[in-house]
Structures are given as C-alpha cells and as structure tokens.
Amino acid sequence: MEIVVVENYDEMSDVACSVVEETVKTNPSCVLGLATGSTPLGLYERMVRGYREGKVSYQNVKAVNLDEYIGLPASHPQSYAFFMREHLFSKIDILPGNTHIENGMATDENAECARYNALLDSMPRDLQVLGIGSNGHIAFNEPLTPFESETHTVALAESTVKDNSRLFERIEDVPRRAFTMGLKNIMDARRILILANGANKANAVYGLVKGEVTTALPASILQKHPNVVLVCDRAAAQRLGE
Ligand code: F6R
C-alpha cells in the first residue's frame, strides 16, 4: 500500500484530485468507482474546477457509486444519488446515462442487488475512490461483513447512523438500511484510492494499514490488494508511527 500523509484536508483533496485526473487523462473512457460522504467533497470540488478550467473532460467516463440508502428516492436531498448530482455530476460533462447507483426505491431488493452485480461485472473499475468509517467500514460494509460479499443490503451499525446523522435534521430521519457494493466488488477494482482525514479516523486508519486482516475491520482487506494508495492527513495518520 502506498501511503501519502499530508498536512490537512485541502492537501488530501489536492493529491486525490491529481490521482483521479491522471487516471482520466490516461484513459478518457475509464470507469471510476465513487463514494459519497464528507471525505470526497474537496476532491469533487477540485474535479469540477479542473473540468471548468478545461484540464479534463469526463464525456466518456463512466461512474459507479458504492452505496445508497434504502427508502430514499433519487430526488431526496439526503439520497446519495442526489449528493452525486449536486456535488459532481451536474457540474462536469459526464453523461447522466453513464452514472450508476443502486435504486434506493427498488421493491425487489434481491433483484436490485443482482442487477448491480451484473453491472459491476460488465464495468470493472479502473479506479475506486473510498472513504473510511470510524469503525473501519468501506462503502456500507460494516464489521463482520464477509470478504467475499457482493452487492447486498445492510442494516447500518449504530455508530454509522450516528456519524451520518449530522447530515439529517434528526437522528430518527437517518435510514437504517442501505444497498452497498460488497467487499469483493471493491477488491475487483484495478486501483483503489482511499482517503481519510480527522482524528476520528485514526483507529480505522491504523487497522487499515497495520492491523490484522480481519472482518472485524472491513478496510483491512485492502492490505491484500496489489494497488492501493491511501491519502490521509496527519490527524488520521497519528497512530501509524506506533
Ligand atoms: C459513502 C461510503 C462510506 C463513507 C464513510 C466515511 O459512499 O461508502 O463508507 O465513505 O462512511 O464517511 P465520511 O466521508 O462522511 O466520513
């Protein structure tokens, strides 16, 4: 695993953006796996800036997202589909038909998981962008998710509901279930870019880099991937010297 420790969030986002832009410049019709949450916001801002400055075009890029809340339509401001349009897709030249995410309103959940798995198989990710949960989850693969998992539905851990409640008016409004790509789907990506900032991620980052490879800390599986770059700020990296 390549580890880049930077001073702060802005620097983390700068490095992340150069990795993404390099990927797109090398292969203008690449497939990007994308994440939501606070972590990649600075990255998305910079991707938009790079596009507006004419440095990069996303016209032939395809995007597949990690996860979506169950029960929220794509038009709901807290849905991940909405988040992606708001922060990235509506501000760059990616074609809406080339952006993919699970359908949070699917009535047949098993069929939706099968549809998404088939889509992922037909579209191997050249670069998968990830954040990490304070409990070491990646996408919504909470502790004890099997490493061989593919797209599935999950009940969110209480700590994740709490972490995510800052984006909702009331904690009761946070959906309790989600669709998520599985750990196997994530490991299928050719390259993985994982981002972490802030002291609340320090234990998870320690487990990711130095811990035992165990389903108790899902991100630890990335130790087995041949091409991972972790970009994190000093606060998130604080335990790496131990
Ligand atoms: C989001 C996702 C999650 C987040 C993680 C960190 O699509 O899959 O795993 O990456 O919960 O969230 P933030 O970035 O908000 O700290």
Side-chain angles (χ1 to χ4, degrees):
M1 186 180 305
E2 183 189 347
I3 302 170
V4 184
V5 180
V6 293
E7 282 309 314
N8 53 41
Y9 182 79
D10 282 342
E11 283 183 22
M12 178 195 80
S13 306
D14 288 341
V15 176
C17 189
S18 23
V19 173
V20 172
E21 290 186 343
E22 203 47 52
T23 306
V24 176
K25 282 184 197 158
T26 310
N27 177 5
S29 46
C30 64
V31 180
L32 298 178
L34 297 176
T36 57
S38 313
T39 309
L41 281 174
L43 160 65
Y44 296 157
E45 252 175 56
R46 284 158 180 78
M47 287 168 67
V48 170
R49 203 181 305 149
Y51 162 69
R52 288 187 176 152
E53 288 169 358
K55 287 202 292 184
V56 190
S57 166
Y58 294 88
Q59 203 157 22
N60 295 310
V61 168
K62 296 182 191 71
V64 257
N65 260 81
L66 289 172
D67 40 19
E68 179 60 286
Y69 287 123
I70 291 179
L72 297 190
S75 56
H76 191 288
Q78 303 300 346
S79 73
Y80 286 169
F82 191 98
F83 176 104
M84 291 308 299
R85 279 199 308 278
E86 172 97 342
H87 294 289
L88 187 64
F89 298 152
S90 66
K91 298 180 173 167
I92 59 175
D93 60 345
I94 195 165
L95 303 176
N98 282 344
T99 67
H100 304 277
I101 191 162
E102 297 95 332
N103 173 9
M105 295 304 282
T107 44
D108 184 339
E109 295 179 1
N110 289 336
E112 179 58 8
C113 292
R115 178 192 74 84
Y116 212 64
N117 278 326
L119 182 93
L120 294 173
D121 286 346
S122 71
M123 259 197 232
R125 275 70 65 217
D126 294 288
L127 180 70
Q128 174 66 59
V129 176
L130 295 176
I132 185 168
S134 58
N135 63 359
H137 73 223
I138 45 177
F140 274 136
N141 294 288
E142 300 285 13
L144 306 184
T145 305
F147 288 149
E148 319 74 58
S149 57
E150 297 192 310
T151 307
H152 59 286
T153 60
V154 280
L156 303 186
E158 214 34 54
S159 61
T160 303
V161 171
K162 200 161 149 252
D163 286 351
N164 291 3
S165 65
R166 68 189 187 283
L167 303 167
F168 290 78
E169 259 177 42
R170 301 171 312 159
I171 193 161
E172 302 81 61
D173 296 338
V174 184
R176 281 351 198 222
R177 296 178 64 238
F179 286 110
T180 183
M181 255 191 221
L183 294 168
K184 179 179 176 299
N185 303 124
I186 291 173
M187 290 293 280
D188 283 344
R190 295 200 176 97
R191 191 170 193 215
I192 293 178
L193 168 65
I194 181 161
L195 308 176
N197 68 288
N200 65 322
K201 301 291 173 73
N203 288 335
V205 167
Y206 177 85
L208 158 68
V209 177
K210 294 197 143 179
E212 183 196 340
V213 176
T214 162
T215 56
L217 196 128
S220 63
I221 187 63
L222 300 180
Q223 291 176 27
K224 302 272 189 207
H225 192 286
N227 194 352
V228 176
V229 51
L230 161 68
V231 186
C232 60
D233 70 356
R234 278 200 192 285
Q238 64 186 267
R239 289 198 55 204
L240 293 185
E242 285 176 19

